[in-house]
Every structure is written in structure tokens, then in C-alpha cells.
Amino acid sequence: MGPRKRATPASDPSSQGASRAPGEVAGVPDKKHNICMVSDFFFPNMGGVESHIYQLSQCLIENGHKVVVATHAYGRRKGVRYLTNGLKVYYLPLQVMYNQTTATTCFHTLPLMRCVFVRERITIVHAHSSFSAMAHDALFHAKTMGLNTVFTDHSLFGFADVSSVLTNKLLTISLCDTNHIVCVSYTSKENTVLRATLDPEIVSVIPNAVDTADFTPDTARRQDDRITVVVISRLVYRKGIDLLGAIIPELCLKHPDLHFVIGGEGPKRLVLEEVREKYQLHDRVRLLGALEHKDVRGVLVQGHIFLNTSLTEAFCMAIVEGASCGLQVVSTRVGGIPEVLPEDLITLCEPTVRSLCAGLETVIARQREGSAPSPASIHEGVRNLYTWKNVTERTEKVYERVSGEEVLPLDRRLRRLRAHCGPVAGSIFAFVAVLDFLFLLLLRWLVPDRIMDVALDATGPHAIWRQQPSSNDGGIKRAAEHDPSE
């Protein structure tokens, strides 16, 4: 089965050509937005969602938009921090419940998020990941405050197990009156539309991207006396680590020159350690542990083959990074993966030990025969497939669309919840929406919006850090350094 045709639906605002006003730069709208990205997952945590939020934010800043990020505190990293290009990150003091996600009551986050939205003069709230409780809370509070909302879904879910049923019901409630939804593949779009019973017209497909300038081949780092298979993944069940644990001893027995380099951390690391110990493969299986993003390329270029054993995947940026570094890619045929790379750059297998072993042996034989494409040609094949510039332009078109849409008033929102989510769940969350609205009125009475300090802008068209030096420059810097509101 080859990759799906990337046909662009006419209803997808992210891919339509928009008419431009005189003097407007192609792909860059004149209107600038104040955007708040919200997710439980952000740096220093590492992963696809974290990288997506950071890279998209940086590109939006370059295009003149104001962007801030809201996430929960990570250890001692609390309060406000500034990243590259003045990207402001609010590490809110919220309790982490499980797997870097916060506990939620729907109400305890309202005072903090209202403070961020009002002080930063936010116009669009962009939440990320179905797994993130903060993302769902932010959507709920933003609608109560009359702000436009966008949600990006980065994962696939099932329909049968208890956790999927509960998550899908929560997603249905969160998205029923969200202005627009973004998915990272067409498979992900179909999955999200079915899970949340959405109108496909309000769902766009915008893929992830990779900065291929940071992921370039370096054949000098490879060892020619061996064939190295690289795996970089979270070591969790859904990434197929049990499959990987079964593949390693079988292939190492057949191919004495085969080595595995595995980067990543997670509860399934124990499986790989047990396999390495049982079969005495300490010299052929290297477990690197958690990697910083800056070190990923240095690991990838050591390999000949990149292996992905995921059981479910909406997009999988890792296989694009591997191909960009010139590795031949072997992956399971699940989720949106068949859409990601052309069929001449990837070997797709069923998520079974037998199929993956057969796929790897085919690529190993090709490598030994010298018939494999060169790393430079593989890199050239993916260099322009996914760029953050393209992702940003398409996301801006989504922002343009939602900024002109109406945010439902409370009475219509309550009717939508009851009609869309069912008589039981709809009534419960309609009641929660009323409580959220009353809590907001109380907060506005205690601390009116008009008396809340406006935060200094680090990004956007009025960024104080981008002002030309003047006689007041020192005063501006001192204000930025000592403003207690920061």
C-alpha cells in the first residue's frame, strides 16, 4: 500500500489560495494576531508536540504575530521564562497528575488563564493535544471569555476501550463549539471527525514539519564494518517497544554485523534491558536514554537504517528526521504513516514481528549489495516535503478564518452542548459552563480587566525588545528587568 494521495479538500482553509490586499506579502496576511499556545507538553519535556509548538511559535513571531505559550511548571522551572526571539512561556503552578498532564477540575485554572489572556491581550487561543488537560481547560475558559479558539490534534485514538471512550466524549464536549480544528494527517482528520462527531468543514489538515537544515547526512560518522539500525522513540507501549524487543534477538542471531542504537526513555526500557541481558547483546545494543533535541542528529547520522515500530501514529516526525539524515526508513503501516513519505523512501510493514523482520532483511540486503540510494539523494528527496514556512502560512489562514467568526454567546453555547453531546453529558457540561461563566463574573468583579497590568510585549509588531535604541533604551530595559508583573 503506497502513500495516500495528498488531495487538498476545497473546504480546507489552510490550503486555499487567498486573495491578497495591495502590498501584502505572498502567504503572509497583513492582519497580526495575539496567540496563546496552550498544552501540558512543552520544553523542557521533549517530543513531537513540544517541537511543533516551539517551531510554529518561532515562525509566527518571524511573521510579526505576538505569541505566548502557557504550560504547567516543570520542577523548578516556574513563572515566566523567555526563549529564542523573545518567546514568552508561562510555567503555571499547576499540579501534575500523570505522564506530565495536569489534574483538572475545570475551574482552578480559570484565574491563572484569565490573567494570561487579559494581560497579553490574547485574541486567539490555540490548544494542542487531546492528552492535555490544560488544552481542554483553555478551550473551555477561552469560549467563556469570548475568545476565538483553535485546536490541533496530534494523536490517533480507538473507539472500544474505556480510556478511548472517555477521552472521545471529553473531546466531543471540548470541540463542539471550537472555531476550528487542525489535524496532522488525513487519517488523523478522519479519526478526529468520527471521535468528536464534527463537521468536516471545520477540520483542516496541516502536517508537521522538520527543519531539514538541521538534519543533514554525514557518512563519515558511520562505521563501515557494521550495519547500524537507529531507533529514536519514547519507550512506551504504543510505540511498539515490545515488537522491537522481539525483533532484536532474531535479527542479531542472523546478522552478526547488525547493531542497534536506541535513543529515548520510558517504562518499556526494562523490556529492552531484559532482552539485552538475556541474549548477551551488550556490545550490539546501545541504550542511550533520553536525548536532547540538539543531540538527535548526531545519533541519526551514525546509522544506515531508521526503524519505527509504532502501533499507532498520526504523523511521526521521527521518520522524516531519519530520512532527512539519509537513512533508509522501515516503519509499521499504521495511522497516517503511509501518507508521510513517498513509497521509494520508506519500507512499510505490518505491525508484527515477522513482517518487520522481513522488511528489515530486505533493506539490509539492499545495503550490503550497494543498491540502496545514497544518503544525499534521500535527503534531497525529503528536503522540501515539509517546511515550517509552509505550515505557518497554512496555520495563518486558519487564524484569518477564525478571527472573523462569531464566538457563541452563553445561551447558544448551552443549546449547542445539549444538542451535540447528548442529554446527559450535554446537560452536565452546560451546567459546568454556567458555573464557569459565574466564576468569571466573580473574578471580573474582584479584579476588573481594566485594572490588570498589560504585559510587556516581547514578540509581535509592538515588541519592546525590537524597538530602536534611544535615549530611553536603558529605562526600557530596566523596566523589563524589574517589572514585578513579569
Side-chain angles (χ1 to χ4, degrees):
M1 177 177 163
R4 298 188 181 192
K5 183 180 179 182
R6 296 188 184 88
T8 303
S11 61
D12 188 343
S14 65
S15 54
Q16 292 176 354
S19 59
R20 298 192 298 272
E24 183 180 343
V25 179
V28 182
D30 280 338
K31 185 176 181 181
K32 304 304 177 186
H33 305 283
N34 294 348
I35 304 147
C36 183
M37 305 282 185
V38 185
S39 181
D40 279 305
F41 311 112
F42 196 64
F43 297 139
N45 199 47
M46 291 300 302
V49 176
E50 294 86 341
S51 178
H52 183 102
I53 295 172
Y54 175 80
Q55 296 286 0
L56 178 58
S57 298
Q58 292 293 336
C59 291
L60 289 168
I61 289 170
E62 290 296 324
N63 286 356
H65 302 281
K66 175 180 176 178
V67 184
V68 300
V69 177
T71 187
H72 64 75
Y74 280 85
R76 297 177 60 186
R77 188 179 289 257
K78 301 177 181 178
V80 177
R81 301 293 179 96
Y82 288 93
L83 303 184
T84 307
N85 289 332
L87 175 61
K88 184 187 287 187
V89 185
Y90 285 86
Y91 289 95
L92 304 179
L94 300 173
Q95 182 63 44
V96 174
M97 179 177 64
Y98 171 74
N99 198 22
Q100 292 301 340
T101 58
T102 53
T104 180
T105 62
C106 256
F107 301 113
H108 74 293
T109 53
L110 178 57
L112 290 170
M113 289 189 179
R114 172 186 174 244
C115 183
V116 174
F117 297 162
V118 173
R119 293 184 71 244
E120 299 291 347
R121 298 298 188 258
I122 297 301
T123 56
I124 296 175
V125 174
H126 190 164
H128 293 260
S129 182
S130 299
F131 289 107
S132 172
M134 275 191 73
H136 294 295
D137 281 2
L139 291 176
F140 204 75
H141 301 322
K143 296 164 195 172
T144 303
M145 295 176 65
L147 301 175
N148 293 106
T149 50
V150 177
F151 176 78
T152 296
D153 199 357
H154 295 263
S155 304
L156 299 177
F157 281 82
F159 297 89
D161 57 288
V162 174
S163 63
S164 294
V165 170
L166 294 175
T167 304
N168 293 345
K169 178 55 72 174
L170 176 60
L171 196 68
T172 302
I173 294 161
S174 291
L175 301 187
C176 77
D177 50 356
T178 297
N179 292 106
H180 206 83
I181 295 89
V182 175
C183 296
V184 295
S185 67
Y186 288 97
T187 299
S188 177
K189 175 177 177 177
E190 293 169 5
N191 182 260
T192 301
V193 166
L194 290 173
R195 285 160 51 213
T197 58
L198 296 169
D199 178 2
E201 294 290 321
I202 66 166
V203 184
S204 298
V205 176
I206 304 177
N208 282 319
V210 171
D211 189 350
T212 52
D214 290 341
F215 292 91
T216 54
D218 183 2
T219 53
R221 301 283 299 277
R222 294 180 174 181
Q223 292 184 255
D224 295 331
D225 62 339
R226 63 181 61 174
I227 294 176
T228 303
V229 177
V230 176
V231 179
I232 295 182
S233 168
R234 286 192 180 103
L235 304 184
V236 295
Y237 170 76
R238 72 181 188 90
K239 293 295 184 179
I241 304 305
D242 295 291
L243 285 176
L244 179 61
I247 290 166
I248 289 173
E250 184 170 335
L251 288 178
C252 285
L253 181 64
K254 290 183 179 180
H255 304 280
D257 60 342
L258 190 66
H259 288 68
F260 286 82
V261 176
I262 303 169
E265 196 56 81
K268 286 291 182 179
R269 179 188 174 108
L270 183 62
V271 172
L272 302 178
E273 290 178 342
E274 288 176 348
V275 167
R276 188 171 64 170
E277 185 70 30
K278 179 178 179 180
Y279 294 95
Q280 294 299 300
L281 296 172
H282 296 81
D283 59 333
R284 299 174 62 185
V285 178
R286 291 168 54 203
L287 299 178
L288 305 179
L291 297 173
E292 293 189 23
H293 193 260
K294 64 181 178 63
D295 299 325
V296 171
R297 187 248 178 190
V299 175
L300 288 172
V301 294
Q302 298 175 33
H304 301 83
I305 301 167
F306 183 84
L307 176 62
N308 172 58
T309 58
S310 292
L311 303 178
T312 176
E313 202 74 67
F315 182 85
C316 192
M317 294 172 67
I319 63 174
V320 184
E321 293 173 350
S324 183
C325 286
L327 280 69
Q328 298 182 76
V329 177
V330 178
S331 175
T332 47
R333 185 189 286 108
V334 296
I337 288 178
E339 303 175 33
V340 176
L341 291 174
E343 58 186 0
D344 59 325
L345 296 180
I346 186 170
T347 300
L348 292 170
C349 311
E350 296 304 317
T352 64
V353 174
R354 177 178 295 181
S355 180
L356 282 164
C357 285
L360 276 167
E361 291 205 76
T362 300
V363 176
I364 291 169
R366 196 184 303 154
Q367 188 70 36
R368 287 204 177 106
E369 294 165 0
S371 59
S374 67
S377 65
I378 297 175
H379 173 79
E380 190 62 29
V382 301
R383 188 166 61 88
N384 295 317
L385 280 180
Y386 304 104
T387 65
W388 285 112
K389 179 181 178 182
N390 178 263
V391 169
T392 304
E393 289 176 356
R394 296 168 73 174
T395 304
E396 285 178 315
K397 291 176 183 177
V398 170
Y399 292 159
E400 285 298 298
R401 170 171 170 166
V402 303
S403 64
E405 292 182 356
E406 177 190 17
V407 180
L408 294 180
L410 182 62
D411 57 335
R412 290 171 57 190
R413 186 180 172 204
L414 298 181
R415 288 197 295 269
R416 174 76 68 85
L417 282 167
R418 296 195 62 189
H420 189 77
C421 304
V424 177
S427 298
I428 292 172
F429 276 87
F431 178 67
V432 173
V434 171
L435 293 181
D436 201 50
F437 179 75
L438 294 175
F439 190 21
L440 177 64
L441 291 182
L442 175 63
L443 292 173
R444 284 176 171 169
W445 177 72
L446 293 173
V447 185
D449 290 357
R450 67 179 182 276
I451 70 170
M452 294 180 71
D453 292 335
V454 178
L456 295 173
D457 284 349
T459 69
H462 305 295
I464 196 167
W465 290 357
R466 292 187 178 184
Q467 292 182 9
Q468 294 297 320
S470 66
S471 58
N472 293 327
D473 186 58
I476 291 173
K477 287 182 179 178
R478 284 192 296 273
E481 290 170 359
H482 295 103
D483 184 355
S485 66
E486 293 295 295

